[in-house]
Amino acid sequence: MESTLPELGVLRSLWPGFEDPDTTHSVLVGGVAIGGALPVIIAGPCAVESFEQTLAVARAVRGAGIRIMRGGAFKPRTYPRSFQGLGEEGLEILAEVRRETGLAIVTEVLDPRLVERVAAVADMLQIGSRSMQNTPLLVEVGRSGKPVLLKRGWSATLGEWLGAADYVAREGNTRIVLCERGIRVPASEGYARAVLDLNVIHAIRTLTPLPVLVDPSHAAGRWDRVEPLARAALAASAHGLLIEAVAADTDRTLLRSDAEQGIPPDVLDRIAGCARLGFPRNSK
Ligand code: PEP
Ligand code: MN
């Protein structure tokens, strides 16, 4: 890895003023600095399934003191017969929820041809784990100039992940936030969906000036396993969290995407309280 990393423009050594591992290039999303003085939480439903469901989750998110919501209109699904998201209708719902609540919106874009349309609604574009090496998509979100939430491919090395970030940065867009979401190892069979790589937080903080979030939801796969991972990520100095959430009294049997892993509002409140305590002292 050492031999390829020097080629990457996202390395700290190439950013004048960011040589020190304590300094992070913060990315502003809806007036919130990701990579700033406090960890930032982004939360919301896996998928936008209806206006009512999305607004109810948005209210829980806002109630927890969180200012950025994530919800998918276009969902990357493993199986073609699974719910693929509401698409354009989902974008319209997100725009309406944004107007109604004042929350900033993060949503995934899957197709390079739709970057402009999604960017018209979103405050930040998500590149999902499956798309991390879709280079035409990376170039297009780079050109959009919008903040980009770049999730780690579930089998990607750190070098491959930073290479993907470099595709965005080379288009002149350095508003990049990395997001660790768990990597696949056979040993996780049964007790987790993926293994959360918390070691990578320190590596990213040391090597790059980019902020790094942790998504405990897709690693846990079940809502009652999310909180300990979220706390661990904050203790390990992640710049924040991306968490899937549901509204109070949600009937999970009606949800069409990641039904088991959204945390209810009381758990979201506790995690948000933990984030407000700030970064651990003497740690990167
Ligand atoms: C998601 O964020 O809902 C998602 C599909 O995540 P990932 O791309 O990490 O699998
Ligand atoms: Mn999901």
Side-chain angles (χ1 to χ4, degrees):
M1 196 165 69
E2 286 302 317
S3 61
T4 57
L5 286 180
E7 307 295 327
L8 300 173
V10 293
L11 294 183
R12 198 177 273 292
S13 53
L14 297 176
W15 289 46
F18 287 94
E19 296 86 355
D20 178 349
D22 278 331
T23 54
T24 302
H25 168 71
S26 60
V27 176
L28 266 185
V29 177
V32 179
I34 304 176
L38 281 177
V40 170
I41 299 187
I42 302 174
C46 178
V48 171
E49 301 197 27
S50 69
F51 175 69
E52 293 71 22
Q53 164 252 6
T54 309
L55 184 63
V57 183
R59 289 193 167 133
V61 166
R62 207 179 51 179
I66 295 165
R67 292 165 61 190
I68 311 174
M69 186 178 92
R70 198 296 308 258
F74 296 94
K75 293 304 301 180
R77 301 304 297 271
T78 303
Y79 302 107
R81 292 161 200 249
S82 302
F83 173 60
Q84 305 286 312
L86 296 178
E88 175 60 32
E89 187 191 344
L91 290 181
E92 285 162 21
I93 291 171
L94 285 170
E96 183 59 31
V97 167
R98 188 176 186 276
R99 273 193 294 275
E100 188 112 357
T101 62
L103 289 167
I105 297 292
V106 184
T107 197
E108 179 157 354
V109 59
L110 281 169
D111 183 333
R113 295 166 297 187
L114 291 178
V115 168
E116 206 176 311
R117 171 63 193 127
V118 177
V121 170
D123 297 281
M124 180 180 224
L125 299 170
Q126 174 173 321
I127 299 295
S129 191
R130 292 165 182 79
S131 297
M132 191 207 82
Q133 287 186 309
N134 181 340
T135 52
L137 181 60
L138 296 170
V139 167
E140 223 37 66
V141 297
R143 290 184 181 156
S144 78
K146 280 266 167 178
V148 177
L149 181 64
L150 180 60
K151 298 189 88 174
R152 182 184 189 175
W154 60 59
S155 301
T157 63
L158 175 59
E160 289 162 350
W161 191 13
L162 297 183
D166 201 23
Y167 270 94
V168 179
R170 275 175 68 92
E171 298 304 318
N173 185 359
T174 53
R175 302 165 81 191
I176 304 165
V177 176
L178 301 168
C179 180
E180 159 65 30
R181 47 78 75 210
I183 49 177
R184 283 278 188 80
V185 297
S188 66
E189 196 78 67
Y191 65 84
R193 194 169 167 187
V195 173
L196 203 53
D197 179 13
L198 294 181
N199 291 307
V200 87
I201 298 167
H202 183 262
I204 288 169
R205 277 183 164 258
T206 305
L207 285 169
T208 89
L210 304 177
V212 57
L213 305 186
V214 167
D215 165 359
S217 306
H218 289 84
R222 226 177 55 197
W223 75 267
D224 58 325
R225 300 192 288 223
V226 168
E227 186 175 354
L229 297 182
R231 289 177 181 273
L234 292 171
S237 289
H239 293 104
L241 302 167
L242 173 69
I243 307 187
E244 290 190 351
V246 296
D249 305 320
T250 293
D251 178 352
R252 291 180 190 270
T253 63
L254 300 178
L255 292 178
R256 301 169 76 188
S257 181
D258 286 345
E260 299 304 324
Q261 72 195 28
I263 54 170
D266 57 327
V267 181
L268 187 61
D269 287 344
R270 275 202 302 273
I271 295 172
C274 189
R276 279 192 285 272
L277 297 176
F279 294 109
R281 289 172 72 89
N282 300 322
S283 129
K284 303 282 183 288

